[in-house]
Amino acid sequence: MKKSILTMACAMIAPLAFAQTSSTTTEQTTTTNPATTTTETTTTYSAGTVTTYEPGKTIVVKSEQGPVSFALGTAARIVDGAGRIVTAPLRSGQKVKVYYTGAGEKRVVERVLVED
């Protein structure tokens, strides 16, 4: 009896161990000018796998929340874990973290970190 309960518990937990994880982290920077003007910038990232990539235009990342599309501007950098610029085009299925500012339709990509 104990053996069958233990087997069922392991069978129910195993799929969770192999699930793809995604997280969103927010970094907040506050800059105060001498004229008492405060500027606040929030950088967020979304982690997942590349679905579609058009260099200089868009990247679509599949995360826990579903596919998320980002517009790539001229300032967006694509880097590896060591911080080196990646010159090869991203491939479908690569794991990435997309760091961006703004929300909704006004998301601006700052950098894409390739995790592979």
Side-chain angles (χ1 to χ4, degrees):
M1 183 69 173
K2 285 184 184 181
K3 190 174 184 178
S4 64
I5 292 174
L6 182 60
T7 303
M8 294 213 25
C10 288
M12 292 175 64
I13 294 173
L16 298 175
F18 297 106
Q20 178 181 348
T21 61
S22 172
S23 62
T24 300
T25 301
T26 302
E27 300 170 1
Q28 196 166 21
T29 306
T30 303
T31 307
T32 305
N33 294 335
T36 66
T37 303
T38 302
T39 305
E40 215 170 274
T41 305
T42 302
T43 302
T44 307
Y45 78 83
S46 181
T49 57
V50 175
T51 303
T52 308
Y53 173 66
E54 292 181 52
K57 294 182 181 179
T58 60
I59 182 171
V60 178
V61 176
K62 182 180 177 185
S63 65
E64 280 185 359
Q65 293 81 23
V68 182
S69 179
F70 299 94
L72 295 171
T74 56
R77 296 174 295 140
I78 300 174
V79 296
D80 62 10
R84 294 183 301 257
I85 303 260
V86 175
T87 56
L90 297 176
R91 298 179 319 273
S92 181
Q94 279 185 301
K95 291 184 182 180
V96 294
K97 286 184 182 176
V98 179
Y99 291 84
Y100 62 94
T101 58
E105 296 296 318
K106 297 183 180 182
R107 288 186 298 248
V108 177
V109 175
E110 291 183 346
R111 68 184 161 116
V112 178
L113 175 66
V114 180
E115 295 182 337
D116 286 343

